Amino acid sequence: MSVPKDRLPLRMVSTVVRGFQRGSTELGIPTANLDRESGKFGGGSFDDLPTGIYWGFCRIGESEDSYVYKTACSIGYNPTYHNTLKTVEPHLIAPETDKRRHISTCGETILGEFYGQTIRLSLVGYLRPELPFEGIEKLIAAIKKDITDSVVLGDGTDELTVKEKAWVASKEDI
């Protein structure tokens, strides 16, 4: 299953909240979880967001000079963990030259904690459905591939990619 092209990009503005802490503790791939109550979600509701794994761009904070990161993002129920609560969990990917790019336990980005800060997120493309994995190692391998794919796709120069990166950098409404 994929997401219809007319549903993309998915734009969101919300606040970063504490999640289950699995990304940073178990997986070595921290995420900035979006608050389902306080956000704007692409002109619809949080519950209407289509599940899956996406690539796009993300910015933390409200300053227009805040850095725009490439992101690999999960929307869904984390089927490996059998969650019943839907979440939006972007992993912000630092540039290769950033010393924080490969410092987690599995070699991914750790930027710090962003709880309570505004997050702007644009999901430009769909990577794959969310899937249950047999074991943490297989889940980590899949996420690392999602991150690699997100980096490559985020370097695109097509009109949509450039437009959405600019939107994340702006203060423009959804």
Side-chain angles (χ1 to χ4, degrees):
M1 182 183 108
S2 64
V3 174
K5 292 268 188 210
D6 66 346
R7 291 291 312 262
L8 294 171
L10 293 171
R11 290 179 174 180
M12 301 170 224
V13 178
S14 190
T15 304
V16 178
V17 295
R18 189 171 301 276
F20 296 106
Q21 304 296 300
R22 295 183 203 121
S24 56
T25 58
E26 283 183 42
L27 304 176
I29 306 170
T31 59
N33 296 10
L34 277 68
D35 182 1
R36 60 184 296 120
E37 305 301 324
S38 72
K40 294 180 183 178
F41 302 100
S45 76
F46 186 94
D47 291 325
D48 291 336
L49 293 171
T51 62
I53 310 302
Y54 297 85
W55 70 273
F57 301 100
C58 186
R59 175 171 62 109
I60 303 291
E62 298 191 60
S63 170
E64 286 189 49
D65 63 353
S66 297
Y67 190 81
V68 174
Y69 293 94
K70 294 172 189 169
T71 186
C73 182
S74 168
I75 298 179
Y77 299 93
N78 307 118
T80 300
Y81 293 101
H82 309 289
N83 289 359
T84 57
L85 181 67
K86 187 182 212 178
T87 58
V88 175
E89 304 180 56
H91 170 70
L92 284 64
I93 307 165
E96 284 293 332
T97 56
D98 190 310
K99 65 182 179 182
R100 301 168 297 176
R101 175 64 173 95
H102 295 287
I103 64 171
S104 80
T105 56
C106 74
E108 293 304 333
T109 302
I110 296 180
L111 297 173
E113 294 185 359
F114 303 116
Y115 303 123
Q117 294 188 54
T118 299
I119 183 169
R120 288 178 68 86
L121 175 65
S122 175
L123 302 179
V124 181
Y126 179 85
L127 295 173
R128 64 176 176 84
E130 59 172 354
L131 302 166
F133 290 90
E134 294 180 16
I136 297 301
E137 295 79 21
K138 290 182 179 179
L139 175 58
I140 291 171
I143 296 170
K144 287 177 75 68
K145 182 180 181 325
D146 298 335
I147 291 168
T148 299
D149 293 346
S150 296
V151 169
V152 171
L153 292 164
D155 284 337
T157 58
D158 61 280
E159 184 179 348
L160 180 61
T161 300
V162 171
K163 176 182 167 188
E164 290 309 301
K165 185 174 182 181
W167 177 81
V168 169
S170 76
K171 289 189 177 185
E172 182 184 330
D173 199 14
I174 290 179

